Amino acid sequence: MNEPLRAAMARANMTGPQLARLCQVDPKTVTRWLTNPAREPHARHRAAASRVLGEEETVLWPSVQQLVKNGPDRELVQMYPYRSAAPTSLWKQLIGRAEGQLTFAGYTNYFLWLEQAGFGAVLRRKAEQGCRVRFILGEPGHPITRQRELEEDVPLTLSTRIEVTLSELAKLRDTSIETRYETGHVSLSVFRFDRDMIVTPLLPGRIGHDAPMMHLRRAQDDGLFDRFAGHIEDLWAKGRDVWTIPTAEVAADAQA
């Protein structure tokens, strides 16, 4: 039995015939997918099932990754041409599974509150359960931030998005959640969920949801995962605690 596929269908409340219709295959084909875990659908059918069920192909059919990922790139679970092309459930699943550490090193992290229902409550619960939760934000009004804003040229500026995130994080000041300012990730966002990670290298003139996206899972020492994890720790070490910066300094930075 293909348990990952069966579980994903159960979460989606979807029957075999329904999945077959949406993937444009015969119902007997879906039955064979379920009963024979070694059976791998054609690439277009895997992609359709992944899209319909809101799960990654390599989760539904782990053997796909095992067959083609056996070198230094085996930590690459999936690559997406745009962040917006990833299944909507991926972020929720990674955040929900994390127990030891959640680190959000996006320059604004603004989209998380838009796309994840009840995100603040989830963060509070994670922190109360002993998970270390950290945010690394760009600094509003900083020259590096302003330069990126000129490149993006959109009405909702980086500084505005950061301020919205700060207002949401201010509601969680009574928790253990930590937040620091840094600008060294203006073109590279990294999000860590224990042994999983999402990396989005930002392209000039493009905003976050247009960025290519990699889903990594740690499988070796000093691999891709560890390299990006080291980047996060370097940012954190150089960052300034948002809540201990004097108000006058913040105002001066914004007006400089």
Side-chain angles (χ1 to χ4, degrees), residues 55-56 58-59 65 74-78 90 94 97 195-198 215-220 224-225:
E55 188 56 270
E56 292 178 291
T58 51
V59 172
Q65 182 180 4
R74 67 183 182 273
E75 292 188 312
L76 179 60
V77 178
Q78 190 78 321
L90 175 61
L94 295 180
R97 286 200 296 255
R195 298 177 68 86
D196 283 271
M197 182 179 287
I198 287 176
H215 175 192
L216 306 179
R217 181 170 294 136
R218 192 179 191 278
Q220 65 188 75
L224 279 175
F225 186 99

mmCIF file with all atom_site columns, all heavy atoms in Angstrom, residues 55-56 58-59 65 74-78 90 94 97 195-198 215-220 224-225:
data_model
loop_
_atom_site.group_PDB
_atom_site.id
_atom_site.type_symbol
_atom_site.label_atom_id
_atom_site.label_alt_id
_atom_site.label_comp_id
_atom_site.label_asym_id
_atom_site.label_entity_id
_atom_site.label_seq_id
_atom_site.pdbx_PDB_ins_code
_atom_site.Cartn_x
_atom_site.Cartn_y
_atom_site.Cartn_z
_atom_site.occupancy
_atom_site.B_iso_or_equiv
_atom_site.pdbx_formal_charge
_atom_site.auth_seq_id
_atom_site.auth_comp_id
_atom_site.auth_asym_id
_atom_site.auth_atom_id
_atom_site.pdbx_PDB_model_num
ATOM 1   N N   . GLU A 1 55  ? 0.285  18.284 -2.232 1.00 0.00 ? 55  GLU A N   1
ATOM 2   C CA  . GLU A 1 55  ? 1.440  17.628 -1.631 1.00 0.00 ? 55  GLU A CA  1
ATOM 3   C C   . GLU A 1 55  ? 2.516  17.464 -2.688 1.00 0.00 ? 55  GLU A C   1
ATOM 4   O O   . GLU A 1 55  ? 2.232  17.439 -3.895 1.00 0.00 ? 55  GLU A O   1
ATOM 5   C CB  . GLU A 1 55  ? 1.024  16.264 -1.063 1.00 0.00 ? 55  GLU A CB  1
ATOM 6   C CG  . GLU A 1 55  ? 2.078  15.557 -0.242 1.00 0.00 ? 55  GLU A CG  1
ATOM 7   C CD  . GLU A 1 55  ? 2.577  16.399 0.924  1.00 0.00 ? 55  GLU A CD  1
ATOM 8   O OE1 . GLU A 1 55  ? 3.551  17.152 0.720  1.00 0.00 ? 55  GLU A OE1 1
ATOM 9   O OE2 . GLU A 1 55  ? 2.006  16.304 2.012  1.00 0.00 ? 55  GLU A OE2 1
ATOM 10  N N   . GLU A 1 56  ? 3.777  17.371 -2.261 1.00 0.00 ? 56  GLU A N   1
ATOM 11  C CA  . GLU A 1 56  ? 4.876  17.241 -3.208 1.00 0.00 ? 56  GLU A CA  1
ATOM 12  C C   . GLU A 1 56  ? 4.952  15.830 -3.783 1.00 0.00 ? 56  GLU A C   1
ATOM 13  O O   . GLU A 1 56  ? 4.631  14.844 -3.103 1.00 0.00 ? 56  GLU A O   1
ATOM 14  C CB  . GLU A 1 56  ? 6.199  17.596 -2.528 1.00 0.00 ? 56  GLU A CB  1
ATOM 15  C CG  . GLU A 1 56  ? 6.297  19.072 -2.168 1.00 0.00 ? 56  GLU A CG  1
ATOM 16  C CD  . GLU A 1 56  ? 7.586  19.397 -1.455 1.00 0.00 ? 56  GLU A CD  1
ATOM 17  O OE1 . GLU A 1 56  ? 7.753  18.965 -0.317 1.00 0.00 ? 56  GLU A OE1 1
ATOM 18  O OE2 . GLU A 1 56  ? 8.426  20.094 -2.054 1.00 0.00 ? 56  GLU A OE2 1
ATOM 19  N N   . THR A 1 58  ? 7.520  14.006 -4.347 1.00 0.00 ? 58  THR A N   1
ATOM 20  C CA  . THR A 1 58  ? 8.457  13.145 -3.645 1.00 0.00 ? 58  THR A CA  1
ATOM 21  C C   . THR A 1 58  ? 7.930  12.673 -2.303 1.00 0.00 ? 58  THR A C   1
ATOM 22  O O   . THR A 1 58  ? 8.503  11.787 -1.692 1.00 0.00 ? 58  THR A O   1
ATOM 23  C CB  . THR A 1 58  ? 9.801  13.865 -3.452 1.00 0.00 ? 58  THR A CB  1
ATOM 24  O OG1 . THR A 1 58  ? 9.569  15.154 -2.878 1.00 0.00 ? 58  THR A OG1 1
ATOM 25  C CG2 . THR A 1 58  ? 10.516 14.019 -4.777 1.00 0.00 ? 58  THR A CG2 1
ATOM 26  N N   . VAL A 1 59  ? 6.860  13.301 -1.821 1.00 0.00 ? 59  VAL A N   1
ATOM 27  C CA  . VAL A 1 59  ? 6.190  12.817 -0.615 1.00 0.00 ? 59  VAL A CA  1
ATOM 28  C C   . VAL A 1 59  ? 5.203  11.712 -0.992 1.00 0.00 ? 59  VAL A C   1
ATOM 29  O O   . VAL A 1 59  ? 5.116  10.678 -0.325 1.00 0.00 ? 59  VAL A O   1
ATOM 30  C CB  . VAL A 1 59  ? 5.461  13.969 0.103  1.00 0.00 ? 59  VAL A CB  1
ATOM 31  C CG1 . VAL A 1 59  ? 4.601  13.432 1.252  1.00 0.00 ? 59  VAL A CG1 1
ATOM 32  C CG2 . VAL A 1 59  ? 6.473  14.975 0.639  1.00 0.00 ? 59  VAL A CG2 1
ATOM 33  N N   . GLN A 1 65  ? 12.383 10.318 -5.584 1.00 0.00 ? 65  GLN A N   1
ATOM 34  C CA  . GLN A 1 65  ? 13.572 11.020 -5.103 1.00 0.00 ? 65  GLN A CA  1
ATOM 35  C C   . GLN A 1 65  ? 14.724 10.046 -4.879 1.00 0.00 ? 65  GLN A C   1
ATOM 36  O O   . GLN A 1 65  ? 15.875 10.335 -5.193 1.00 0.00 ? 65  GLN A O   1
ATOM 37  C CB  . GLN A 1 65  ? 13.272 11.762 -3.801 1.00 0.00 ? 65  GLN A CB  1
ATOM 38  C CG  . GLN A 1 65  ? 14.478 12.554 -3.292 1.00 0.00 ? 65  GLN A CG  1
ATOM 39  C CD  . GLN A 1 65  ? 14.189 13.294 -2.007 1.00 0.00 ? 65  GLN A CD  1
ATOM 40  O OE1 . GLN A 1 65  ? 13.117 13.168 -1.440 1.00 0.00 ? 65  GLN A OE1 1
ATOM 41  N NE2 . GLN A 1 65  ? 15.150 14.042 -1.543 1.00 0.00 ? 65  GLN A NE2 1
ATOM 42  N N   . ARG A 1 74  ? 21.059 15.242 -3.197 1.00 0.00 ? 74  ARG A N   1
ATOM 43  C CA  . ARG A 1 74  ? 19.948 14.457 -2.659 1.00 0.00 ? 74  ARG A CA  1
ATOM 44  C C   . ARG A 1 74  ? 19.167 15.198 -1.580 1.00 0.00 ? 74  ARG A C   1
ATOM 45  O O   . ARG A 1 74  ? 18.104 14.756 -1.174 1.00 0.00 ? 74  ARG A O   1
ATOM 46  C CB  . ARG A 1 74  ? 20.437 13.123 -2.118 1.00 0.00 ? 74  ARG A CB  1
ATOM 47  C CG  . ARG A 1 74  ? 21.343 13.181 -0.881 1.00 0.00 ? 74  ARG A CG  1
ATOM 48  C CD  . ARG A 1 74  ? 21.801 11.770 -0.522 1.00 0.00 ? 74  ARG A CD  1
ATOM 49  N NE  . ARG A 1 74  ? 22.636 11.710 0.661  1.00 0.00 ? 74  ARG A NE  1
ATOM 50  C CZ  . ARG A 1 74  ? 23.949 11.865 0.663  1.00 0.00 ? 74  ARG A CZ  1
ATOM 51  N NH1 . ARG A 1 74  ? 24.568 12.124 -0.480 1.00 0.00 ? 74  ARG A NH1 1
ATOM 52  N NH2 . ARG A 1 74  ? 24.649 11.790 1.768  1.00 0.00 ? 74  ARG A NH2 1
ATOM 53  N N   . GLU A 1 75  ? 19.729 16.319 -1.086 1.00 0.00 ? 75  GLU A N   1
ATOM 54  C CA  . GLU A 1 75  ? 18.992 17.117 -0.108 1.00 0.00 ? 75  GLU A CA  1
ATOM 55  C C   . GLU A 1 75  ? 17.917 17.978 -0.765 1.00 0.00 ? 75  GLU A C   1
ATOM 56  O O   . GLU A 1 75  ? 17.100 18.567 -0.064 1.00 0.00 ? 75  GLU A O   1
ATOM 57  C CB  . GLU A 1 75  ? 19.956 17.997 0.687  1.00 0.00 ? 75  GLU A CB  1
ATOM 58  C CG  . GLU A 1 75  ? 20.882 17.202 1.594  1.00 0.00 ? 75  GLU A CG  1
ATOM 59  C CD  . GLU A 1 75  ? 21.696 18.085 2.513  1.00 0.00 ? 75  GLU A CD  1
ATOM 60  O OE1 . GLU A 1 75  ? 22.284 19.069 2.010  1.00 0.00 ? 75  GLU A OE1 1
ATOM 61  O OE2 . GLU A 1 75  ? 21.738 17.815 3.709  1.00 0.00 ? 75  GLU A OE2 1
ATOM 62  N N   . LEU A 1 76  ? 17.925 18.063 -2.063 1.00 0.00 ? 76  LEU A N   1
ATOM 63  C CA  . LEU A 1 76  ? 16.923 18.846 -2.786 1.00 0.00 ? 76  LEU A CA  1
ATOM 64  C C   . LEU A 1 76  ? 15.661 18.006 -2.950 1.00 0.00 ? 76  LEU A C   1
ATOM 65  O O   . LEU A 1 76  ? 15.618 17.078 -3.757 1.00 0.00 ? 76  LEU A O   1
ATOM 66  C CB  . LEU A 1 76  ? 17.453 19.282 -4.153 1.00 0.00 ? 76  LEU A CB  1
ATOM 67  C CG  . LEU A 1 76  ? 16.499 20.100 -5.021 1.00 0.00 ? 76  LEU A CG  1
ATOM 68  C CD1 . LEU A 1 76  ? 16.097 21.398 -4.325 1.00 0.00 ? 76  LEU A CD1 1
ATOM 69  C CD2 . LEU A 1 76  ? 17.144 20.395 -6.372 1.00 0.00 ? 76  LEU A CD2 1
ATOM 70  N N   . VAL A 1 77  ? 14.639 18.336 -2.168 1.00 0.00 ? 77  VAL A N   1
ATOM 71  C CA  . VAL A 1 77  ? 13.377 17.602 -2.229 1.00 0.00 ? 77  VAL A CA  1
ATOM 72  C C   . VAL A 1 77  ? 12.604 17.991 -3.473 1.00 0.00 ? 77  VAL A C   1
ATOM 73  O O   . VAL A 1 77  ? 12.100 17.144 -4.207 1.00 0.00 ? 77  VAL A O   1
ATOM 74  C CB  . VAL A 1 77  ? 12.531 17.875 -0.971 1.00 0.00 ? 77  VAL A CB  1
ATOM 75  C CG1 . VAL A 1 77  ? 11.183 17.159 -1.049 1.00 0.00 ? 77  VAL A CG1 1
ATOM 76  C CG2 . VAL A 1 77  ? 13.284 17.438 0.287  1.00 0.00 ? 77  VAL A CG2 1
ATOM 77  N N   . GLN A 1 78  ? 12.507 19.300 -3.705 1.00 0.00 ? 78  GLN A N   1
ATOM 78  C CA  . GLN A 1 78  ? 11.740 19.787 -4.852 1.00 0.00 ? 78  GLN A CA  1
ATOM 79  C C   . GLN A 1 78  ? 12.196 21.192 -5.203 1.00 0.00 ? 78  GLN A C   1
ATOM 80  O O   . GLN A 1 78  ? 12.611 21.971 -4.330 1.00 0.00 ? 78  GLN A O   1
ATOM 81  C CB  . GLN A 1 78  ? 10.248 19.800 -4.523 1.00 0.00 ? 78  GLN A CB  1
ATOM 82  C CG  . GLN A 1 78  ? 9.333  20.066 -5.698 1.00 0.00 ? 78  GLN A CG  1
ATOM 83  C CD  . GLN A 1 78  ? 9.149  18.849 -6.589 1.00 0.00 ? 78  GLN A CD  1
ATOM 84  O OE1 . GLN A 1 78  ? 10.085 18.097 -6.826 1.00 0.00 ? 78  GLN A OE1 1
ATOM 85  N NE2 . GLN A 1 78  ? 7.952  18.631 -7.088 1.00 0.00 ? 78  GLN A NE2 1
ATOM 86  N N   . LEU A 1 90  ? 2.169  23.173 1.696  1.00 0.00 ? 90  LEU A N   1
ATOM 87  C CA  . LEU A 1 90  ? 3.549  22.862 2.062  1.00 0.00 ? 90  LEU A CA  1
ATOM 88  C C   . LEU A 1 90  ? 4.009  23.642 3.284  1.00 0.00 ? 90  LEU A C   1
ATOM 89  O O   . LEU A 1 90  ? 4.548  23.063 4.237  1.00 0.00 ? 90  LEU A O   1
ATOM 90  C CB  . LEU A 1 90  ? 4.482  23.138 0.878  1.00 0.00 ? 90  LEU A CB  1
ATOM 91  C CG  . LEU A 1 90  ? 5.977  22.964 1.164  1.00 0.00 ? 90  LEU A CG  1
ATOM 92  C CD1 . LEU A 1 90  ? 6.288  21.534 1.573  1.00 0.00 ? 90  LEU A CD1 1
ATOM 93  C CD2 . LEU A 1 90  ? 6.803  23.362 -0.064 1.00 0.00 ? 90  LEU A CD2 1
ATOM 94  N N   . LEU A 1 94  ? 5.109  22.070 6.974  1.00 0.00 ? 94  LEU A N   1
ATOM 95  C CA  . LEU A 1 94  ? 6.453  22.222 7.522  1.00 0.00 ? 94  LEU A CA  1
ATOM 96  C C   . LEU A 1 94  ? 6.430  22.949 8.859  1.00 0.00 ? 94  LEU A C   1
ATOM 97  O O   . LEU A 1 94  ? 7.138  22.565 9.804  1.00 0.00 ? 94  LEU A O   1
ATOM 98  C CB  . LEU A 1 94  ? 7.350  22.959 6.529  1.00 0.00 ? 94  LEU A CB  1
ATOM 99  C CG  . LEU A 1 94  ? 7.630  22.240 5.205  1.00 0.00 ? 94  LEU A CG  1
ATOM 100 C CD1 . LEU A 1 94  ? 8.535  23.094 4.323  1.00 0.00 ? 94  LEU A CD1 1
ATOM 101 C CD2 . LEU A 1 94  ? 8.252  20.875 5.451  1.00 0.00 ? 94  LEU A CD2 1
ATOM 102 N N   . ARG A 1 97  ? 4.913  20.563 11.565 1.00 0.00 ? 97  ARG A N   1
ATOM 103 C CA  . ARG A 1 97  ? 5.739  19.427 11.992 1.00 0.00 ? 97  ARG A CA  1
ATOM 104 C C   . ARG A 1 97  ? 6.928  19.839 12.846 1.00 0.00 ? 97  ARG A C   1
ATOM 105 O O   . ARG A 1 97  ? 7.465  19.035 13.610 1.00 0.00 ? 97  ARG A O   1
ATOM 106 C CB  . ARG A 1 97  ? 6.238  18.650 10.768 1.00 0.00 ? 97  ARG A CB  1
ATOM 107 C CG  . ARG A 1 97  ? 5.176  17.814 10.086 1.00 0.00 ? 97  ARG A CG  1
ATOM 108 C CD  . ARG A 1 97  ? 5.801  16.729 9.232  1.00 0.00 ? 97  ARG A CD  1
ATOM 109 N NE  . ARG A 1 97  ? 6.581  17.267 8.132  1.00 0.00 ? 97  ARG A NE  1
ATOM 110 C CZ  . ARG A 1 97  ? 6.166  17.267 6.867  1.00 0.00 ? 97  ARG A CZ  1
ATOM 111 N NH1 . ARG A 1 97  ? 4.973  16.783 6.562  1.00 0.00 ? 97  ARG A NH1 1
ATOM 112 N NH2 . ARG A 1 97  ? 6.928  17.754 5.915  1.00 0.00 ? 97  ARG A NH2 1
ATOM 113 N N   . ARG A 1 195 ? 14.603 19.967 10.279 1.00 0.00 ? 195 ARG A N   1
ATOM 114 C CA  . ARG A 1 195 ? 15.484 19.422 9.244  1.00 0.00 ? 195 ARG A CA  1
ATOM 115 C C   . ARG A 1 195 ? 15.004 19.729 7.825  1.00 0.00 ? 195 ARG A C   1
ATOM 116 O O   . ARG A 1 195 ? 15.569 19.220 6.852  1.00 0.00 ? 195 ARG A O   1
ATOM 117 C CB  . ARG A 1 195 ? 15.639 17.903 9.431  1.00 0.00 ? 195 ARG A CB  1
ATOM 118 C CG  . ARG A 1 195 ? 16.287 17.524 10.759 1.00 0.00 ? 195 ARG A CG  1
ATOM 119 C CD  . ARG A 1 195 ? 16.345 16.025 10.929 1.00 0.00 ? 195 ARG A CD  1
ATOM 120 N NE  . ARG A 1 195 ? 17.279 15.411 9.985  1.00 0.00 ? 195 ARG A NE  1
ATOM 121 C CZ  . ARG A 1 195 ? 18.589 15.282 10.189 1.00 0.00 ? 195 ARG A CZ  1
ATOM 122 N NH1 . ARG A 1 195 ? 19.139 15.753 11.302 1.00 0.00 ? 195 ARG A NH1 1
ATOM 123 N NH2 . ARG A 1 195 ? 19.356 14.688 9.294  1.00 0.00 ? 195 ARG A NH2 1
ATOM 124 N N   . ASP A 1 196 ? 13.969 20.526 7.714  1.00 0.00 ? 196 ASP A N   1
ATOM 125 C CA  . ASP A 1 196 ? 13.497 20.984 6.406  1.00 0.00 ? 196 ASP A CA  1
ATOM 126 C C   . ASP A 1 196 ? 13.810 22.465 6.254  1.00 0.00 ? 196 ASP A C   1
ATOM 127 O O   . ASP A 1 196 ? 13.907 23.198 7.243  1.00 0.00 ? 196 ASP A O   1
ATOM 128 C CB  . ASP A 1 196 ? 11.994 20.757 6.266  1.00 0.00 ? 196 ASP A CB  1
ATOM 129 C CG  . ASP A 1 196 ? 11.639 19.314 5.975  1.00 0.00 ? 196 ASP A CG  1
ATOM 130 O OD1 . ASP A 1 196 ? 11.590 18.936 4.792  1.00 0.00 ? 196 ASP A OD1 1
ATOM 131 O OD2 . ASP A 1 196 ? 11.413 18.545 6.937  1.00 0.00 ? 196 ASP A OD2 1
ATOM 132 N N   . MET A 1 197 ? 13.902 22.896 5.012  1.00 0.00 ? 197 MET A N   1
ATOM 133 C CA  . MET A 1 197 ? 14.251 24.299 4.757  1.00 0.00 ? 197 MET A CA  1
ATOM 134 C C   . MET A 1 197 ? 13.679 24.723 3.405  1.00 0.00 ? 197 MET A C   1
ATOM 135 O O   . MET A 1 197 ? 13.608 23.928 2.466  1.00 0.00 ? 197 MET A O   1
ATOM 136 C CB  . MET A 1 197 ? 15.775 24.450 4.753  1.00 0.00 ? 197 MET A CB  1
ATOM 137 C CG  . MET A 1 197 ? 16.305 25.845 4.549  1.00 0.00 ? 197 MET A CG  1
ATOM 138 S SD  . MET A 1 197 ? 18.131 25.856 4.592  1.00 0.00 ? 197 MET A SD  1
ATOM 139 C CE  . MET A 1 197 ? 18.436 25.607 6.353  1.00 0.00 ? 197 MET A CE  1
ATOM 140 N N   . ILE A 1 198 ? 13.265 25.967 3.337  1.00 0.00 ? 198 ILE A N   1
ATOM 141 C CA  . ILE A 1 198 ? 12.863 26.575 2.071  1.00 0.00 ? 198 ILE A CA  1
ATOM 142 C C   . ILE A 1 198 ? 13.809 27.742 1.795  1.00 0.00 ? 198 ILE A C   1
ATOM 143 O O   . ILE A 1 198 ? 14.048 28.582 2.670  1.00 0.00 ? 198 ILE A O   1
ATOM 144 C CB  . ILE A 1 198 ? 11.407 27.060 2.121  1.00 0.00 ? 198 ILE A CB  1
ATOM 145 C CG1 . ILE A 1 198 ? 10.448 25.854 2.070  1.00 0.00 ? 198 ILE A CG1 1
ATOM 146 C CG2 . ILE A 1 198 ? 11.107 28.013 0.969  1.00 0.00 ? 198 ILE A CG2 1
ATOM 147 C CD1 . ILE A 1 198 ? 8.998  26.207 2.200  1.00 0.00 ? 198 ILE A CD1 1
ATOM 148 N N   . HIS A 1 215 ? 13.021 23.414 -1.865 1.00 0.00 ? 215 HIS A N   1
ATOM 149 C CA  . HIS A 1 215 ? 12.697 22.735 -0.613 1.00 0.00 ? 215 HIS A CA  1
ATOM 150 C C   . HIS A 1 215 ? 13.829 21.755 -0.337 1.00 0.00 ? 215 HIS A C   1
ATOM 151 O O   . HIS A 1 215 ? 14.071 20.830 -1.110 1.00 0.00 ? 215 HIS A O   1
ATOM 152 C CB  . HIS A 1 215 ? 11.350 22.008 -0.724 1.00 0.00 ? 215 HIS A CB  1
ATOM 153 C CG  . HIS A 1 215 ? 11.004 21.196 0.484  1.00 0.00 ? 215 HIS A CG  1
ATOM 154 N ND1 . HIS A 1 215 ? 9.978  20.272 0.513  1.00 0.00 ? 215 HIS A ND1 1
ATOM 155 C CD2 . HIS A 1 215 ? 11.557 21.154 1.735  1.00 0.00 ? 215 HIS A CD2 1
ATOM 156 C CE1 . HIS A 1 215 ? 9.909  19.718 1.700  1.00 0.00 ? 215 HIS A CE1 1
ATOM 157 N NE2 . HIS A 1 215 ? 10.860 20.228 2.460  1.00 0.00 ? 215 HIS A NE2 1
ATOM 158 N N   . LEU A 1 216 ? 14.558 21.965 0.762  1.00 0.00 ? 216 LEU A N   1
ATOM 159 C CA  . LEU A 1 216 ? 15.679 21.114 1.142  1.00 0.00 ? 216 LEU A CA  1
ATOM 160 C C   . LEU A 1 216 ? 15.323 20.292 2.374  1.00 0.00 ? 216 LEU A C   1
ATOM 161 O O   . LEU A 1 216 ? 14.528 20.721 3.213  1.00 0.00 ? 216 LEU A O   1
ATOM 162 C CB  . LEU A 1 216 ? 16.916 21.955 1.446  1.00 0.00 ? 216 LEU A CB  1
ATOM 163 C CG  . LEU A 1 216 ? 17.393 22.947 0.379  1.00 0.00 ? 216 LEU A CG  1
ATOM 164 C CD1 . LEU A 1 216 ? 18.625 23.695 0.892  1.00 0.00 ? 216 LEU A CD1 1
ATOM 165 C CD2 . LEU A 1 216 ? 17.702 22.241 -0.918 1.00 0.00 ? 216 LEU A CD2 1
ATOM 166 N N   . ARG A 1 217 ? 15.951 19.120 2.487  1.00 0.00 ? 217 ARG A N   1
ATOM 167 C CA  . ARG A 1 217 ? 15.819 18.302 3.706  1.00 0.00 ? 217 ARG A CA  1
ATOM 168 C C   . ARG A 1 217 ? 17.203 17.759 4.050  1.00 0.00 ? 217 ARG A C   1
ATOM 169 O O   . ARG A 1 217 ? 17.865 17.148 3.219  1.00 0.00 ? 217 ARG A O   1
ATOM 170 C CB  . ARG A 1 217 ? 14.829 17.162 3.496  1.00 0.00 ? 217 ARG A CB  1
ATOM 171 C CG  . ARG A 1 217 ? 14.635 16.297 4.744  1.00 0.00 ? 217 ARG A CG  1
ATOM 172 C CD  . ARG A 1 217 ? 13.470 15.337 4.567  1.00 0.00 ? 217 ARG A CD  1
ATOM 173 N NE  . ARG A 1 217 ? 12.219 16.084 4.469  1.00 0.00 ? 217 ARG A NE  1
ATOM 174 C CZ  . ARG A 1 217 ? 11.265 15.804 3.570  1.00 0.00 ? 217 ARG A CZ  1
ATOM 175 N NH1 . ARG A 1 217 ? 11.427 14.834 2.685  1.00 0.00 ? 217 ARG A NH1 1
ATOM 176 N NH2 . ARG A 1 217 ? 10.156 16.518 3.541  1.00 0.00 ? 217 ARG A NH2 1
ATOM 177 N N   . ARG A 1 218 ? 17.660 18.005 5.269  1.00 0.00 ? 218 ARG A N   1
ATOM 178 C CA  . ARG A 1 218 ? 19.035 17.655 5.646  1.00 0.00 ? 218 ARG A CA  1
ATOM 179 C C   . ARG A 1 218 ? 19.294 16.158 5.527  1.00 0.00 ? 218 ARG A C   1
ATOM 180 O O   . ARG A 1 218 ? 18.529 15.347 6.045  1.00 0.00 ? 218 ARG A O   1
ATOM 181 C CB  . ARG A 1 218 ? 19.332 18.117 7.068  1.00 0.00 ? 218 ARG A CB  1
ATOM 182 C CG  . ARG A 1 218 ? 20.809 18.056 7.422  1.00 0.00 ? 218 ARG A CG  1
ATOM 183 C CD  . ARG A 1 218 ? 21.092 18.547 8.837  1.00 0.00 ? 218 ARG A CD  1
ATOM 184 N NE  . ARG A 1 218 ? 22.517 18.718 9.044  1.00 0.00 ? 218 ARG A NE  1
ATOM 185 C CZ  . ARG A 1 218 ? 23.353 17.718 9.355  1.00 0.00 ? 218 ARG A CZ  1
ATOM 186 N NH1 . ARG A 1 218 ? 22.873 16.487 9.494  1.00 0.00 ? 218 ARG A NH1 1
ATOM 187 N NH2 . ARG A 1 218 ? 24.650 17.943 9.516  1.00 0.00 ? 218 ARG A NH2 1
ATOM 188 N N   . ALA A 1 219 ? 20.408 15.809 4.848  1.00 0.00 ? 219 ALA A N   1
ATOM 189 C CA  . ALA A 1 219 ? 20.752 14.401 4.675  1.00 0.00 ? 219 ALA A CA  1
ATOM 190 C C   . ALA A 1 219 ? 22.242 14.142 4.835  1.00 0.00 ? 219 ALA A C   1
ATOM 191 O O   . ALA A 1 219 ? 22.669 13.003 4.759  1.00 0.00 ? 219 ALA A O   1
ATOM 192 C CB  . ALA A 1 219 ? 20.294 13.916 3.303  1.00 0.00 ? 219 ALA A CB  1
ATOM 193 N N   . GLN A 1 220 ? 23.048 15.205 5.053  1.00 0.00 ? 220 GLN A N   1
ATOM 194 C CA  . GLN A 1 220 ? 24.491 15.007 5.158  1.00 0.00 ? 220 GLN A CA  1
ATOM 195 C C   . GLN A 1 220 ? 25.121 16.204 5.853  1.00 0.00 ? 220 GLN A C   1
ATOM 196 O O   . GLN A 1 220 ? 24.506 17.266 5.986  1.00 0.00 ? 220 GLN A O   1
ATOM 197 C CB  . GLN A 1 220 ? 25.097 14.856 3.764  1.00 0.00 ? 220 GLN A CB  1
ATOM 198 C CG  . GLN A 1 220 ? 24.964 16.120 2.913  1.00 0.00 ? 220 GLN A CG  1
ATOM 199 C CD  . GLN A 1 220 ? 25.397 15.909 1.491  1.00 0.00 ? 220 GLN A CD  1
ATOM 200 O OE1 . GLN A 1 220 ? 24.681 15.298 0.710  1.00 0.00 ? 220 GLN A OE1 1
ATOM 201 N NE2 . GLN A 1 220 ? 26.588 16.383 1.150  1.00 0.00 ? 220 GLN A NE2 1
ATOM 202 N N   . LEU A 1 224 ? 24.047 21.157 1.221  1.00 0.00 ? 224 LEU A N   1
ATOM 203 C CA  . LEU A 1 224 ? 23.293 22.377 0.935  1.00 0.00 ? 224 LEU A CA  1
ATOM 204 C C   . LEU A 1 224 ? 22.596 22.901 2.173  1.00 0.00 ? 224 LEU A C   1
ATOM 205 O O   . LEU A 1 224 ? 22.623 24.100 2.468  1.00 0.00 ? 224 LEU A O   1
ATOM 206 C CB  . LEU A 1 224 ? 22.258 22.093 -0.158 1.00 0.00 ? 224 LEU A CB  1
ATOM 207 C CG  . LEU A 1 224 ? 22.718 22.082 -1.614 1.00 0.00 ? 224 LEU A CG  1
ATOM 208 C CD1 . LEU A 1 224 ? 21.571 21.658 -2.513 1.00 0.00 ? 224 LEU A CD1 1
ATOM 209 C CD2 . LEU A 1 224 ? 23.236 23.452 -2.029 1.00 0.00 ? 224 LEU A CD2 1
ATOM 210 N N   . PHE A 1 225 ? 21.932 21.991 2.895  1.00 0.00 ? 225 PHE A N   1
ATOM 211 C CA  . PHE A 1 225 ? 21.179 22.407 4.081  1.00 0.00 ? 225 PHE A CA  1
ATOM 212 C C   . PHE A 1 225 ? 22.092 23.106 5.078  1.00 0.00 ? 225 PHE A C   1
ATOM 213 O O   . PHE A 1 225 ? 21.773 24.200 5.561  1.00 0.00 ? 225 PHE A O   1
ATOM 214 C CB  . PHE A 1 225 ? 20.508 21.191 4.717  1.00 0.00 ? 225 PHE A CB  1
ATOM 215 C CG  . PHE A 1 225 ? 19.596 21.523 5.867  1.00 0.00 ? 225 PHE A CG  1
ATOM 216 C CD1 . PHE A 1 225 ? 18.221 21.595 5.676  1.00 0.00 ? 225 PHE A CD1 1
ATOM 217 C CD2 . PHE A 1 225 ? 20.092 21.774 7.141  1.00 0.00 ? 225 PHE A CD2 1
ATOM 218 C CE1 . PHE A 1 225 ? 17.371 21.896 6.731  1.00 0.00 ? 225 PHE A CE1 1
ATOM 219 C CE2 . PHE A 1 225 ? 19.269 22.082 8.203  1.00 0.00 ? 225 PHE A CE2 1
ATOM 220 C CZ  . PHE A 1 225 ? 17.892 22.145 7.988  1.00 0.00 ? 225 PHE A CZ  1
#
